[in-house]
Amino acid sequence: MSENSRALKLAEDNQKLANKRKKAKEKWGIVLDTSKCIDCKACTVACKMENYVPVGFYNYRIWVAEDTHYAKYPVISRSFQPSQCQQCENPPCVHVCPTHASYKTADGVVMVDSKKCILCKYCMTACPYDARYESHTTEAIDKCTFCYQRREEGKDPACVETCPPKVRVFGDLNDPNSEVSRLLAYNEYTVLKPEKGTKPKLKYIK
Amino acid sequence: MSTNTTTMDFFAKNDKISNIWLILTLLISLFGVYGVFNVLINGHDVYGVTRTVPWGILISTYVFFVVSSTGLCLISSMGHVFGIEKYEVIGKRAVILAILTLLCGFGVIAMELGHPFRMAIYNIISPNFESAIWWMGTLYGVYLVFIIIEFYFLMKHNHKGAFYAGLGGFIAGISAHSNLGAVFGLLEARPFWHGPYLPIYFILSALISGTALIIIIFNISYGRPSNLPEKAKNALTGLSKLFGLFLGIIIFFDIWKIITSVYGAPPEKYESVMALLTGQLSFNFWFFEVMLGMLIPFFIILFTKGRNLTASLIAAISAVIGIFYMRYDLVIAGQLFPMREPAPGAHVQSALQNGMVTYSPSFSEISIVIGALGFCVFLYLLAEKYLNLSE
Ligand code: SF4
Ligand code: SF4
Ligand code: SF4
């Protein structure tokens, strides 16, 4: 199968899976401890491989940004902020999409139904995190799906699985006993751009 | 009032429109064929739009066209909808140009959308009533139907029909156009656009485009200001005064928009407005938008009191050129502040040293824009030459 048809098939399978999981009760989220990040960028590679993200420097679902607030010499520190689509609970990209191509699954994952996308790019101007790009393979907008294809088997998303220092923990925010809920209970955390009211499900431990 | 008209009333030859102009504008529109083919063959990569500036000059040109259309419809409705007799003479010409500008606008946005045909289908079978683009698209569709019927009735001298269709067009036009403002105004992510300002501002600037274009097309139909019949002269003198008034109001709007975006440096708004005042869009802003678009036409009208129609014509041409850039600046400036800091590794596309991003239209985009503008003028000249647009 060509790269293109694999990407298309994955997108279609994910739509079917979302339909099948209409009654899902979970609310998936990721808790990140960025102090552990070593900027190896394994997550960005894993995501490209897992999801047939087309080649190209600006075709990506996930990124690792360097924190630019260095201390001045001689006290120097470096830190990184890995991120992706925030899987907003109040997602502006979904509100603005004229054809419901962008939608939220029962378990709270924001996805794009590539067949319905007219490529108006309204969602790109609406997303406060620059988390979307135009994909040549699906001929639609593409973005992080929390590796939805892995939801049935209950496997972690590729970026979570691959991370050597385990920056990310993936799990069900609705389950008080899940590791993510525990981490949030025991730690102070924040989200990116809270002022935008998007209610991200990516939580950053402070 | 007679509804029985012969084809003679529908068609009439206007010799003021020379074939040379028709051929010239057709040639200009052929230039657009280059961009159209290039994008059909090579895909959207031939455009200059990026991940950070996904809306480029095609969107702003679409806005320019539909603002013109709405403005023409709103201004012309003063005559046959609101019964101000003086303005009845502008009806046919304004409405035919409203139809043509809207169609050209649709053409341009079809080139920008990745899947225009999909839009026609999924807009109907999977509508999202929360989406301003859905409302804008649908209402403009309704508006187009109304103004086509309106034009038909005007040509048939059916005043009652023209009144109802015109009223429908007026309401649909205002709703569609304020929704276009809302497409930008509803984006919380983009502080430069966000808020109720844009839907209001769009209606106001439509009125300016409308009056300016009507002044221009009447001069085209009659060759020069001195050839204008008495009735048309009266209407245009009145319109020139309104034109000046609208310009005064928009200058006032703009001043406050700038002050509220600069005062206390509100995050993101400030950076966007500084891109206009001193940054990458400053030439566009000061020369085209402020000088040609607002100050020159405003002072021309102010000093001639709108009584000198040659002066009004110059003011109108200046304003229309300026307004084209106004749309561009508005659409681009709102996207120049990136949604993520362009730090190393963040892969923020087309980021500059100063933390902003940048966009410049590609040759294909420009060719489509020029082609569409040329084609619109061509269509209008054709209509002017062969349709009976005088009373
Ligand atoms: S981060 Fe952007 S793409 Fe992801 S859900 Fe939020 S608004 Fe949508
Ligand atoms: S580009 Fe596609 S997914 Fe995004 S708003 Fe438009 S139709 Fe929806
Ligand atoms: S969850 Fe999956 S799709 Fe999302 S960034 Fe990680 S690997 Fe990519």
Side-chain angles (χ1 to χ4, degrees):
Chain A
M1 240 202 280
S2 74
E3 200 78 353
N4 275 20
S5 42
R6 260 185 283 176
L8 263 175
K9 184 163 180 312
L10 176 64
E12 278 165 25
D13 288 350
N14 274 344
Q15 303 321 311
K16 284 187 203 134
L17 190 55
N19 261 335
K20 199 172 139 200
R21 293 175 55 83
K22 272 229 161 87
K23 298 227 160 59
K25 293 262 165 357
E26 298 93 337
K27 188 165 91 182
W28 305 114
I30 293 183
V31 177
L32 300 94
D33 180 353
T34 56
S35 66
K36 294 179 182 166
C37 179
I38 55 171
D39 195 28
C40 69
K41 297 197 164 68
C43 52
T44 64
V45 178
C47 177
K48 270 216 164 180
M49 305 280 288
E50 168 79 13
N51 296 296
Y52 312 114
V53 173
V55 283
F57 198 68
Y58 294 111
N59 299 332
Y60 59 87
R61 294 179 173 190
I62 181 171
W63 57 90
V64 185
E66 192 163 339
D67 230 315
T68 49
H69 313 288
Y70 318 108
K72 277 216 179 84
Y73 181 82
V75 193
I76 295 174
S77 78
R78 278 184 100 186
S79 57
F80 305 92
Q81 191 194 63
S83 201
Q84 65 236 52
C85 162
Q86 309 296 306
Q87 302 293 356
C88 308
E89 264 186 83
N90 180 24
C93 57
V94 172
H95 300 314
V96 302
C97 176
T99 59
H100 286 305
S102 283
Y103 68 102
K104 199 162 78 172
T105 64
D107 35 1
V109 180
V110 173
M111 291 213 285
V112 179
D113 183 344
S114 56
K115 282 219 184 63
K116 287 185 186 167
C117 175
I118 63 171
L119 278 176
C120 63
K121 301 187 249 173
Y122 199 5
C123 52
M124 294 177 78
T125 54
C127 169
Y129 307 94
D130 182 10
R132 300 179 153 241
Y133 72 97
E134 184 180 339
S135 160
H136 302 292
T137 50
T138 58
E139 292 187 350
I141 296 298
D142 190 54
K143 63 179 284 300
C144 163
T145 58
F146 266 0
C147 293
Y148 207 71
Q149 61 276 19
R150 297 184 167 204
R151 288 297 62 77
E152 278 297 76
E153 313 157 36
K155 264 170 58 182
D156 273 347
C159 56
V160 177
E161 193 182 60
T162 198
C163 179
K166 211 168 176 348
V167 168
R168 289 174 171 86
V169 178
F170 177 82
D172 179 7
L173 298 168
N174 276 345
D175 171 6
N177 288 315
S178 65
E179 198 185 342
V180 280
S181 299
R182 280 165 198 270
L183 280 170
L184 296 182
Y186 295 138
N187 293 284
E188 286 220 39
Y189 64 92
T190 176
V191 295
L192 302 185
K193 294 196 177 180
E195 71 281 3
K196 298 289 173 194
T198 52
K199 305 207 172 77
K201 291 201 287 291
L202 255 68
K203 318 276 186 194
Y204 287 82
I205 290 178
K206 281 192 196 163
Chain B
M1 187 201 320
S2 113
T3 45
N4 298 329
T5 42
T6 61
T7 44
M8 274 319 288
D9 292 331
F10 236 101
F11 299 100
K13 201 137 183 264
N14 181 347
D15 292 324
K16 291 264 161 15
I17 308 298
S18 90
N19 286 330
I20 297 180
W21 281 106
L22 281 171
I23 294 168
L24 201 70
T25 48
L26 190 62
L27 284 178
I28 295 176
S29 25
L30 284 181
F31 184 51
V33 175
Y34 166 79
V36 172
F37 270 99
N38 202 7
V39 69
L40 290 182
I41 293 165
N42 297 318
H44 278 66
D45 277 351
V46 304
Y47 289 165
V49 286
T50 60
R51 190 177 165 132
T52 41
V53 185
W55 286 346
I57 195 170
L58 294 183
I59 294 287
S60 75
T61 306
Y62 163 75
V63 175
F64 173 75
F65 273 125
V66 300
V67 173
S68 305
S69 176
T70 317
L72 287 160
C73 166
L74 297 185
I75 298 290
S76 74
S77 61
M78 286 196 304
H80 53 272
V81 177
F82 297 109
I84 309 177
E85 245 171 66
K86 180 165 149 190
Y87 295 120
E88 266 172 16
V89 341
I90 60 181
K92 286 184 193 170
R93 288 201 168 87
V95 175
I96 186 72
L97 187 59
I99 295 172
L100 298 177
T101 44
L102 188 65
L103 290 177
C104 289
F106 282 167
V108 172
I109 202 159
M111 295 316 301
E112 165 70 39
L113 292 181
H115 301 287
F117 298 111
R118 233 182 236 181
M119 166 167 186
I121 300 168
Y122 284 104
N123 236 20
I124 296 168
I125 65 172
S126 180
N128 179 7
F129 301 123
E130 263 183 48
S131 165
I133 284 198
W134 186 86
W135 283 103
M136 188 261 301
T138 309
L139 287 166
Y140 266 124
V142 174
Y143 165 78
L144 178 63
V145 174
F146 272 121
I147 56 175
I148 288 176
I149 299 175
E150 181 183 6
F151 183 65
Y152 175 79
F153 282 136
L154 283 174
M155 293 301 275
K156 287 273 185 188
H157 298 287
N158 179 337
H159 292 285
K160 219 169 174 177
F163 168 78
Y164 284 113
L167 186 62
F170 180 85
I171 296 169
I174 288 221
S175 326
H177 201 55
S178 43
N179 260 288
L180 177 62
V183 165
F184 303 95
L186 292 178
L187 293 180
E188 177 81 48
R190 311 279 172 170
F192 180 67
W193 291 335
H194 186 247
Y197 174 80
L198 284 183
I200 304 167
Y201 171 88
F202 268 46
I203 296 291
L204 175 63
S205 59
L207 295 174
I208 299 182
S209 291
T211 34
L213 286 169
I214 291 170
I215 295 172
I216 295 173
I217 58 179
F218 265 81
N219 283 293
I220 292 176
S221 347
Y222 292 97
R224 63 165 70 88
S226 51
N227 287 350
L228 288 166
E230 211 40 50
K231 259 190 168 173
K233 265 189 194 154
N234 269 336
L236 289 203
T237 314
L239 281 184
S240 300
K241 291 190 195 311
L242 283 176
F243 178 46
L245 173 70
F246 296 146
L247 283 166
I249 301 177
I250 208 153
I251 292 171
F252 176 78
F253 267 52
D254 250 37
I255 290 174
W256 281 107
K257 171 78 185 170
I258 291 172
I259 292 178
T260 53
S261 306
V262 171
Y263 185 83
E268 300 184 40
K269 252 191 217 172
Y270 176 77
E271 287 82 357
S272 304
V273 99
M274 288 317 275
L276 290 172
L277 298 182
T278 58
Q280 40 179 318
L281 293 172
S282 57
F283 182 73
N284 271 1
F285 179 74
W286 291 111
F287 181 71
F288 287 108
E289 190 171 336
V290 174
M291 292 305 290
L292 293 189
M294 294 186 279
L295 293 185
I296 292 177
F298 179 68
F299 283 109
I300 289 180
I301 301 292
L302 191 67
F303 289 123
T304 59
K305 308 211 164 30
R307 284 195 213 108
N308 179 341
L309 289 183
T310 312
S312 298
L313 174 63
I314 294 169
I317 294 172
S318 169
V320 170
I321 297 171
I323 287 169
F324 180 83
Y325 284 86
M326 250 181 227
R327 306 294 164 250
Y328 180 84
D329 292 349
L330 178 80
V331 170
I332 305 306
Q335 302 171 78
L336 291 182
F337 190 87
M339 297 290 95
R340 283 187 275 122
E341 188 193 353
H347 296 214
V348 174
Q349 197 171 1
S350 65
L352 300 172
Q353 282 297 322
N354 64 3
M356 303 289 277
V357 293
T358 186
Y359 160 80
S360 28
S362 73
F363 188 68
S364 297
E365 283 171 303
I366 294 174
S367 99
I368 293 174
V369 169
I370 294 178
L373 293 170
F375 195 54
C376 191
V377 179
F378 169 75
L379 288 177
Y380 180 76
L381 293 180
L382 206 62
E384 183 63 61
K385 188 165 176 119
Y386 294 110
L387 295 180
N388 178 13
L389 298 179
S390 299
E391 261 195 303

